Amino acid sequence: MTTLTIQTPDDWHLHFRDGDMLTETVAATARCFQRGIVMPNLVPPVTDATMVLAYKARILAARPEDSTFEPLMTLFLTNQTTREQIIEAKSAGIVAAKMYPAGATTNSAAAVSQLEALYPVFETMQEQGMLLLVHGEVTDSHIDIFDREKVFIDQKLAHIVKQFPGLKVVFEHITTADAAQFVSEASTNVAATITPQHLLLNRNDLLVGGVRPHNFCLPVLKRSTHQEALRKVVQTGSAKFFLGTDSAPHAKEAKENACGCAGCYSAWSAIELYTHVFEELDALDKLEGFASHHGADFYGLPRNEGTITLVREDWVIPEEIILPNGKPIVPFFAGQTVHWKVKTA
């Protein structure tokens, strides 16, 4: 096969950041994705409808002139979030609320510290038909970082799903066989996104031969057995799993320092990287469902009408991209050869 045409895909989990970085990040995503679920962990986080809509306006202003890309906005949950804010957000067109455990990842210090205290908010979300997006890790200091996703499932997520059976939950950027099994066995109201880095890499790619900061993301890369479990679950074509890049840009200097930031910037190569993986798995016939159908169906949104075409052509992901402020950023898989490329007019 030398060409592959699929319905235009969507990215169901990404970070644009803010300010002048938007002209880089929005264009990178809009080149091949029609819609994107935009994460709300800015500084300060976007915690109410007014802030979310203002952020959406800044994203729309940064779109390329000929782009019809649609940002799908989310609300940042805190222990101060009220039922009324959920109702207001839903009426403003905000499709989901994001639950970060406080301190779990970038710009999450103001997030949820008492998860059970949010149950009244989850009840309102269930009533309103607003999705709950979950960063699924505990943050207890005594729990090994490689075990935090599994512990979150056992201690937190299983109880939420049982308590609110009508609440649609997306377990974001899953990294373990435990998460894949949990989602597979849960009700049809539970789904998950999977990133390119967790399909392509494991913790050896982070630690062997020295620490590789540009492969550092949260949740952190796991052992190869977990990577293989994720690859197997996408290979099945299950509608419970769909594309979410977790593309998360940081300037090179913010990654390469004594306390490097977590995140992989994959937007400029994301659909090509997924195609690369699905070809390795002899599952190119499953790519369209994963990239273009399952997410839209789960969110209750129409599938996109257009198509994109990928051609089998080797190309090398650049070593660096220059941000609008002149600082370099190292894209995910920098310097590596990918075998598919989006066909341009």
Side-chain angles (χ1 to χ4, degrees):
M1 182 182 292
T2 57
T3 64
L4 177 66
T5 298
I6 62 173
Q7 261 180 294
T8 306
D10 301 302
D11 186 346
W12 298 99
H13 181 110
L14 63 93
H15 300 264
F16 280 141
R17 308 305 186 203
D18 206 353
D20 62 359
M21 191 178 282
L22 289 175
T23 58
E24 158 63 27
T25 56
V26 175
T29 292
R31 73 186 179 92
C32 61
F33 294 112
Q34 180 59 44
R35 295 172 292 203
I37 290 284
V38 181
M39 293 297 104
N41 56 328
L42 304 184
V43 181
V46 286
T47 55
D48 61 46
T50 300
M51 295 177 74
V52 175
L53 293 178
Y55 183 34
K56 181 178 182 178
R58 297 195 295 274
I59 294 168
L60 291 173
R63 287 188 308 187
E65 285 188 11
D66 58 347
S67 173
T68 59
F69 173 80
E70 180 185 2
L72 302 174
M73 306 306 293
T74 63
L75 188 73
F76 185 100
L77 292 176
T78 74
N79 280 114
Q80 287 69 52
T81 302
T82 65
R83 291 173 178 259
E84 291 72 25
Q85 286 176 317
I86 295 298
I87 295 169
E88 180 183 5
K90 178 66 175 179
S91 66
I94 296 165
V95 300
K98 180 63 183 279
M99 196 289 295
Y100 294 100
T105 190
T106 304
N107 301 337
S108 63
V112 177
S113 56
Q114 296 292 329
L115 182 56
E116 289 74 16
L118 274 185
Y119 276 21
V121 169
F122 295 160
E123 182 177 8
T124 301
M125 292 174 62
Q126 181 175 246
E127 294 166 354
Q128 293 289 312
M130 178 179 281
L131 281 76
L132 174 64
L133 314 183
V134 174
H135 181 114
E137 294 184 287
V138 296
T139 55
D140 309 73
S141 60
H142 66 281
I143 296 177
D144 190 290
I145 191 170
F146 293 106
D147 298 329
R148 291 180 178 186
E149 185 170 277
K150 172 64 164 63
V151 173
F152 181 86
I153 294 168
D154 295 341
Q155 293 186 357
K156 305 295 183 182
L157 188 57
H159 298 289
I160 294 171
V161 169
K162 182 178 179 181
Q163 186 78 17
F164 304 100
L167 178 65
K168 281 194 166 185
V169 178
V170 181
F171 196 171
E172 301 282 14
H173 43 49
I174 64 170
T175 66
T176 60
D178 309 280
Q181 181 178 356
F182 176 83
V183 173
S184 295
E185 295 175 354
S187 79
T188 55
N189 279 338
V190 180
T193 56
I194 304 181
T195 74
Q197 61 264 29
H198 291 106
L199 291 170
L200 285 161
L201 307 179
N202 58 65
R203 65 189 190 183
N204 279 2
D205 298 293
L206 176 64
L207 299 170
V208 171
V211 177
R212 303 179 190 183
H214 298 288
N215 289 344
F216 174 51
C217 57
L218 289 170
V220 71
L221 296 169
K222 304 300 193 295
R223 65 171 66 244
S224 61
T225 52
H226 292 295
Q227 178 195 7
E228 286 305 312
L230 298 183
R231 289 166 71 93
K232 286 179 181 177
V233 83
V234 300
Q235 191 177 31
T236 69
S238 169
K240 281 176 158 283
F241 302 91
F242 43 87
L243 187 157
T245 63
D246 196 20
S247 182
H250 294 283
K252 182 178 181 179
E253 64 184 27
K255 295 284 287 180
E256 298 178 3
N257 63 33
C259 186
C261 293
C264 299
Y265 183 51
S266 59
W268 275 115
S269 55
I271 193 63
E272 291 92 342
L273 289 170
Y274 282 114
T275 309
H276 182 103
V277 170
F278 276 74
E279 182 181 44
E280 288 182 340
L281 297 172
D282 194 24
L284 283 173
D285 60 318
K286 305 296 196 308
L287 177 66
E288 186 174 47
F290 180 81
S292 311
H293 296 165
H294 301 164
D297 296 347
F298 189 80
Y299 273 78
L301 297 171
R303 296 176 180 180
N304 296 318
E305 294 182 358
T307 62
I308 65 166
T309 296
L310 295 115
V311 295
R312 203 177 193 293
E313 175 186 328
D314 285 357
W315 64 288
V316 177
I317 295 175
E319 295 285 353
E320 291 184 352
I321 295 168
I322 303 302
L323 293 170
N325 62 9
K327 293 182 178 180
I329 186 170
V330 177
F332 178 62
F333 237 49
Q336 300 295 308
T337 299
V338 182
H339 303 309
W340 290 87
K341 194 168 189 178
V342 172
K343 182 180 180 180
T344 56

